[in-house]
Coordinates of all heavy atoms in Angstrom, one line a residue:
R11 N 17.4 -2.4 -1.3 CA 17.3 -2.8 -2.7 C 18.7 -2.9 -3.4 O 18.9 -3.7 -4.3 CB 16.4 -1.8 -3.4 CG 15.0 -1.8 -2.8 CD 13.9 -1.2 -3.7 NE 14.1 0.3 -3.8 CZ 13.5 1.1 -2.9 NH1 12.8 0.7 -1.9 NH2 13.7 2.4 -3.1
R12 N 19.6 -2.0 -3.0 CA 21.0 -2.1 -3.5 C 21.6 -3.3 -3.1 O 22.4 -4.0 -3.9 CB 21.8 -0.8 -3.1 CG 21.3 0.4 -3.8 CD 21.8 1.7 -3.2 NE 21.0 2.8 -3.7 CZ 21.0 4.0 -3.1 NH1 21.6 4.3 -2.0 NH2 20.2 5.0 -3.7
R13 N 21.4 -3.7 -1.9 CA 22.0 -5.0 -1.4 C 21.5 -6.2 -2.1 O 22.2 -7.0 -2.6 CB 21.7 -5.1 0.1 CG 22.7 -6.1 0.8 CD 22.5 -6.1 2.4 NE 22.3 -4.8 2.9 CZ 21.2 -4.3 3.5 NH1 20.1 -5.0 3.6 NH2 21.2 -3.0 4.0
A14 N 20.2 -6.2 -2.3 CA 19.5 -7.3 -3.1 C 20.1 -7.4 -4.5 O 20.3 -8.4 -5.0 CB 18.0 -7.0 -3.1
F15 N 20.3 -6.2 -5.1 CA 20.8 -6.2 -6.5 C 22.2 -6.8 -6.6 O 22.5 -7.6 -7.4 CB 20.8 -4.7 -7.0 CG 20.9 -4.6 -8.5 CD1 20.4 -5.5 -9.4 CD2 21.6 -3.5 -9.0 CE1 20.5 -5.3 -10.8 CE2 21.8 -3.3 -10.4 CZ 21.2 -4.2 -11.2
R16 N 23.0 -6.3 -5.6 CA 24.4 -6.9 -5.6 C 24.4 -8.4 -5.4 O 25.1 -9.1 -6.0 CB 25.2 -6.2 -4.5 CG 25.4 -4.7 -4.6 CD 26.6 -4.5 -5.4 NE 26.9 -3.0 -5.5 CZ 28.0 -2.6 -6.0 NH1 29.0 -3.4 -6.4 NH2 28.2 -1.3 -6.1
E17 N 23.5 -8.9 -4.5 CA 23.4 -10.3 -4.3 C 22.9 -11.0 -5.5 O 23.4 -12.1 -5.9 CB 22.4 -10.6 -3.1 CG 23.1 -10.3 -1.8 CD 22.1 -10.3 -0.6 OE1 20.9 -10.7 -0.8 OE2 22.5 -9.8 0.5
Q18 N 21.9 -10.5 -6.2 CA 21.4 -11.1 -7.4 C 22.6 -11.2 -8.4 O 22.7 -12.2 -9.1 CB 20.3 -10.2 -8.1 CG 19.0 -10.2 -7.4 CD 18.1 -9.2 -8.0 OE1 18.4 -8.3 -8.8 NE2 16.8 -9.2 -7.5
L19 N 23.4 -10.1 -8.6 CA 24.4 -10.1 -9.6 C 25.5 -11.1 -9.2 O 26.2 -11.6 -10.1 CB 25.0 -8.7 -9.8 CG 24.0 -7.7 -10.4 CD1 24.6 -6.3 -10.4 CD2 23.5 -8.2 -11.7
A20 N 25.7 -11.4 -7.9 CA 26.7 -12.3 -7.5 C 26.3 -13.8 -7.5 O 27.1 -14.7 -7.4 CB 27.2 -12.0 -6.1
S21 N 24.9 -14.0 -7.8 CA 24.4 -15.3 -7.6 C 24.6 -16.2 -8.8 O 24.5 -17.4 -8.7 CB 22.9 -15.2 -7.4 OG 22.3 -14.8 -8.7
G22 N 25.0 -15.6 -9.9 CA 25.1 -16.5 -11.1 C 23.8 -16.7 -11.8 O 23.7 -17.3 -12.9
R23 N 22.7 -16.3 -11.2 CA 21.3 -16.4 -11.8 C 21.1 -15.1 -12.6 O 21.5 -14.0 -12.2 CB 20.2 -16.6 -10.7 CG 20.4 -17.8 -9.9 CD 20.2 -19.1 -10.7 NE 19.0 -19.0 -11.6 CZ 17.8 -19.3 -11.3 NH1 17.4 -19.5 -10.0 NH2 16.8 -19.2 -12.2
L24 N 20.3 -15.3 -13.7 CA 20.0 -14.2 -14.6 C 19.0 -13.2 -13.9 O 18.0 -13.7 -13.4 CB 19.5 -14.7 -15.9 CG 19.2 -13.7 -17.0 CD1 20.6 -13.2 -17.5 CD2 18.4 -14.3 -18.1
V25 N 19.3 -12.0 -13.9 CA 18.3 -10.9 -13.5 C 17.6 -10.5 -14.7 O 18.2 -9.9 -15.6 CB 19.1 -9.8 -12.8 CG1 18.1 -8.6 -12.4 CG2 19.9 -10.2 -11.6
R26 N 16.2 -10.7 -14.7 CA 15.4 -10.3 -15.9 C 14.9 -8.9 -15.6 O 14.2 -8.7 -14.6 CB 14.3 -11.3 -16.1 CG 14.9 -12.7 -16.5 CD 13.8 -13.7 -16.2 NE 13.2 -13.6 -14.9 CZ 12.0 -14.1 -14.6 NH1 11.3 -14.7 -15.5 NH2 11.6 -13.9 -13.3
M27 N 15.2 -7.9 -16.5 CA 14.9 -6.5 -16.2 C 14.1 -5.8 -17.3 O 14.7 -5.3 -18.2 CB 16.3 -5.9 -16.0 CG 16.3 -4.5 -15.5 SD 18.0 -3.8 -15.5 CE 18.5 -4.2 -13.8
P28 N 12.8 -5.8 -17.2 CA 12.0 -5.1 -18.1 C 12.0 -3.6 -17.8 O 12.1 -3.2 -16.7 CB 10.6 -5.6 -18.0 CG 10.7 -6.9 -17.2 CD 11.9 -6.7 -16.3
G29 N 11.9 -2.8 -18.8 CA 11.9 -1.3 -18.6 C 10.4 -0.9 -18.3 O 9.5 -1.3 -19.0
I39 N 5.5 -5.2 -13.1 CA 6.8 -5.9 -13.3 C 7.1 -6.7 -12.1 O 7.5 -7.9 -12.1 CB 8.0 -5.0 -13.7 CG1 7.7 -4.4 -15.1 CG2 9.3 -5.7 -13.6 CD1 8.7 -3.2 -15.4
G43 N 6.8 -11.2 -11.2 CA 7.9 -12.1 -10.8 C 9.2 -11.7 -11.3 O 10.2 -12.6 -11.2
F44 N 9.4 -10.6 -12.0 CA 10.7 -10.2 -12.5 C 11.6 -9.8 -11.3 O 11.1 -9.4 -10.2 CB 10.6 -9.2 -13.6 CG 10.0 -9.7 -14.8 CD1 8.7 -9.8 -15.1 CD2 10.9 -10.2 -15.8 CE1 8.2 -10.4 -16.2 CE2 10.4 -10.8 -17.0 CZ 9.0 -10.9 -17.2
E45 N 12.9 -9.8 -11.6 CA 13.8 -9.5 -10.4 C 14.2 -8.0 -10.3 O 14.7 -7.6 -9.2 CB 15.1 -10.3 -10.6 CG 15.0 -11.8 -10.5 CD 14.4 -12.5 -11.7 OE1 14.6 -12.0 -12.8 OE2 13.8 -13.6 -11.5
A46 N 14.1 -7.3 -11.4 CA 14.5 -5.9 -11.3 C 13.8 -5.1 -12.4 O 13.2 -5.6 -13.3 CB 16.0 -5.8 -11.5
V47 N 13.8 -3.7 -12.2 CA 13.2 -2.8 -13.1 C 14.2 -1.9 -13.8 O 15.2 -1.5 -13.1 CB 12.2 -1.9 -12.3 CG1 11.6 -0.8 -13.1 CG2 11.1 -2.7 -11.7
Y48 N 14.0 -1.6 -15.0 CA 14.9 -0.7 -15.7 C 14.1 0.6 -16.0 O 12.9 0.6 -16.3 CB 15.3 -1.3 -17.0 CG 16.3 -0.6 -17.9 CD1 17.6 -0.3 -17.4 CD2 16.0 -0.2 -19.2 CE1 18.5 0.3 -18.2 CE2 16.9 0.5 -20.0 CZ 18.2 0.7 -19.5 OH 19.1 1.4 -20.3
L84 N 11.6 -3.8 -6.0 CA 12.6 -4.3 -6.8 C 13.7 -3.3 -7.0 O 13.5 -2.1 -7.0 CB 12.1 -4.7 -8.2 CG 11.0 -5.7 -8.3 CD1 10.6 -6.0 -9.8 CD2 11.5 -7.0 -7.7
P85 N 15.0 -3.7 -7.1 CA 16.0 -2.8 -7.5 C 15.8 -2.2 -8.9 O 15.3 -2.9 -9.7 CB 17.3 -3.6 -7.5 CG 16.9 -5.0 -7.2 CD 15.4 -5.1 -7.0
A86 N 16.1 -0.9 -9.0 CA 15.9 -0.2 -10.3 C 17.2 0.3 -10.8 O 17.9 1.0 -10.0 CB 14.8 0.9 -10.2
L87 N 17.5 0.1 -12.1 CA 18.7 0.6 -12.7 C 18.3 1.6 -13.7 O 17.3 1.3 -14.5 CB 19.4 -0.6 -13.4 CG 20.6 -0.3 -14.3 CD1 21.8 0.0 -13.4 CD2 21.0 -1.4 -15.3
A113 N 18.9 1.7 -7.6 CA 20.0 0.7 -7.2 C 21.3 0.9 -8.0 O 22.3 0.4 -7.6 CB 19.5 -0.7 -7.3
L157 N 25.2 0.8 -7.7 CA 26.0 0.1 -8.8 C 26.3 1.1 -9.9 O 25.4 1.7 -10.5 CB 25.2 -1.1 -9.3 CG 26.0 -1.9 -10.3 CD1 26.5 -3.2 -9.6 CD2 25.1 -2.3 -11.5
M159 N 27.5 1.2 -13.6 CA 27.7 0.4 -14.8 C 28.3 1.3 -15.9 O 27.7 2.3 -16.1 CB 26.4 -0.3 -15.1 CG 26.5 -1.2 -16.4 SD 24.9 -1.8 -16.8 CE 24.7 -3.1 -15.6
P209 N 30.1 -8.3 -13.6 CA 28.7 -8.6 -14.1 C 28.5 -7.9 -15.5 O 28.9 -6.7 -15.7 CB 27.8 -8.1 -13.0 CG 28.6 -8.2 -11.8 CD 30.0 -7.8 -12.2
L210 N 27.8 -8.6 -16.4 CA 27.5 -8.1 -17.7 C 26.0 -8.0 -18.0 O 25.3 -8.9 -17.6 CB 28.1 -9.0 -18.8 CG 29.7 -9.0 -18.9 CD1 30.1 -10.0 -20.0 CD2 30.2 -7.6 -19.1
L211 N 25.6 -7.0 -18.7 CA 24.2 -6.8 -19.1 C 24.1 -7.1 -20.6 O 24.9 -6.7 -21.4 CB 23.8 -5.4 -18.8 CG 22.4 -4.9 -19.2 CD1 21.9 -3.8 -18.3 CD2 22.4 -4.4 -20.6
A212 N 23.0 -7.9 -20.9 CA 22.7 -8.2 -22.3 C 21.5 -7.4 -22.7 O 20.4 -7.6 -22.1 CB 22.5 -9.6 -22.5
N213 N 21.6 -6.5 -23.7 CA 20.5 -5.7 -24.1 C 19.6 -6.4 -25.2 O 20.0 -6.5 -26.3 CB 21.0 -4.3 -24.7 CG 19.9 -3.4 -25.1 OD1 18.7 -3.6 -24.8 ND2 20.3 -2.3 -25.7
M214 N 18.5 -6.9 -24.8 CA 17.6 -7.6 -25.7 C 16.5 -6.7 -26.3 O 15.3 -6.9 -26.3 CB 16.9 -8.8 -25.0 CG 17.9 -9.8 -24.5 SD 18.7 -10.7 -25.9 CE 20.4 -10.0 -25.9
L223 N 18.2 -13.3 -27.7 CA 18.5 -14.5 -27.0 C 17.6 -14.7 -25.9 O 17.3 -13.7 -25.2 CB 20.0 -14.5 -26.5 CG 21.1 -14.2 -27.6 CD1 22.4 -13.9 -27.0 CD2 21.1 -15.4 -28.6
D224 N 17.2 -16.0 -25.6 CA 16.2 -16.1 -24.5 C 17.0 -16.2 -23.2 O 18.2 -16.3 -23.1 CB 15.3 -17.3 -24.8 CG 15.9 -18.7 -24.7 OD1 17.0 -18.8 -24.1 OD2 15.4 -19.6 -25.3
A225 N 16.2 -16.2 -22.1 CA 16.8 -16.2 -20.8 C 17.7 -17.3 -20.5 O 18.8 -17.1 -19.9 CB 15.7 -16.1 -19.7
A226 N 17.3 -18.5 -20.9 CA 18.2 -19.7 -20.6 C 19.5 -19.6 -21.4 O 20.6 -19.8 -20.8 CB 17.5 -21.0 -21.1
L228 N 21.0 -16.8 -22.3 CA 21.8 -15.7 -21.7 C 22.5 -16.2 -20.4 O 23.6 -15.9 -20.1 CB 21.0 -14.5 -21.4 CG 20.6 -13.7 -22.7 CD1 19.6 -12.6 -22.4 CD2 21.9 -13.1 -23.4
E229 N 21.7 -17.0 -19.6 CA 22.2 -17.5 -18.3 C 23.4 -18.5 -18.6 O 24.4 -18.4 -18.0 CB 21.1 -18.2 -17.5 CG 21.6 -18.4 -16.1 CD 20.4 -18.8 -15.1 OE1 19.8 -17.8 -14.6 OE2 20.2 -20.0 -14.9
N230 N 23.2 -19.3 -19.6 CA 24.3 -20.3 -20.0 C 25.5 -19.5 -20.5 O 26.6 -20.0 -20.3 CB 23.8 -21.2 -21.1 CG 22.9 -22.3 -20.6 OD1 23.0 -22.6 -19.4 ND2 22.0 -22.8 -21.4
G232 N 26.6 -16.9 -19.3 CA 27.2 -16.3 -18.1 C 26.8 -14.8 -18.0 O 27.5 -14.1 -17.3
Y233 N 25.8 -14.4 -18.7 CA 25.4 -13.0 -18.5 C 24.5 -12.8 -17.2 O 23.9 -13.8 -16.8 CB 24.6 -12.5 -19.8 CG 25.6 -12.0 -20.8 CD1 26.4 -13.0 -21.5 CD2 25.8 -10.7 -21.0 CE1 27.4 -12.5 -22.3 CE2 26.8 -10.3 -21.9 CZ 27.6 -11.2 -22.6 OH 28.5 -10.8 -23.4
N234 N 24.6 -11.6 -16.6 CA 24.0 -11.4 -15.3 C 22.6 -10.7 -15.4 O 21.8 -10.9 -14.6 CB 24.9 -10.6 -14.4 CG 26.3 -11.3 -14.3 OD1 27.1 -11.1 -15.2 ND2 26.4 -12.1 -13.3
I235 N 22.5 -9.9 -16.5 CA 21.2 -9.2 -16.6 C 20.7 -9.3 -18.0 O 21.5 -9.1 -19.0 CB 21.4 -7.6 -16.3 CG1 21.9 -7.4 -14.9 CG2 20.1 -6.9 -16.5 CD1 22.3 -6.0 -14.6
A236 N 19.4 -9.7 -18.2 CA 18.7 -9.6 -19.5 C 17.9 -8.4 -19.5 O 16.9 -8.3 -18.6 CB 17.9 -10.9 -19.7
L237 N 18.2 -7.5 -20.4 CA 17.4 -6.2 -20.4 C 16.4 -6.2 -21.5 O 16.7 -6.5 -22.7 CB 18.5 -5.1 -20.6 CG 17.9 -3.6 -20.7 CD1 17.3 -3.2 -19.4 CD2 19.0 -2.6 -21.1
Y238 N 15.2 -5.8 -21.2 CA 14.1 -5.6 -22.1 C 13.7 -4.2 -22.1 O 12.6 -3.8 -21.5 CB 12.9 -6.6 -21.8 CG 13.4 -8.0 -21.5 CD1 13.5 -8.5 -20.2 CD2 13.8 -8.8 -22.6 CE1 14.0 -9.8 -20.0 CE2 14.3 -10.1 -22.4 CZ 14.4 -10.6 -21.1 OH 14.8 -11.8 -20.8
P239 N 14.4 -3.2 -22.6 CA 14.3 -1.8 -22.2 C 13.0 -1.2 -22.7 O 12.4 -0.4 -21.9 CB 15.5 -1.2 -22.9 CG 15.9 -2.1 -24.0 CD 15.6 -3.5 -23.5

Side-chain angles (χ1 to χ4, degrees):
R11 300 195 289 272
R12 289 169 193 159
R13 201 173 315 113
F15 194 36
R16 296 271 183 171
E17 283 168 13
Q18 288 171 352
L19 294 177
S21 71
R23 299 294 316 277
L24 187 72
V25 175
R26 298 161 308 157
M27 189 184 268
I39 291 168
F44 288 87
E45 291 78 27
V47 171
Y48 184 63
L84 297 180
L87 175 75
L157 187 101
M159 179 183 283
L210 291 181
L211 176 150
N213 183 7
M214 295 294 107
L223 302 170
D224 69 21
L228 288 171
E229 194 167 276
N230 284 336
Y233 275 70
N234 305 83
I235 300 174
L237 180 65
Y238 312 102

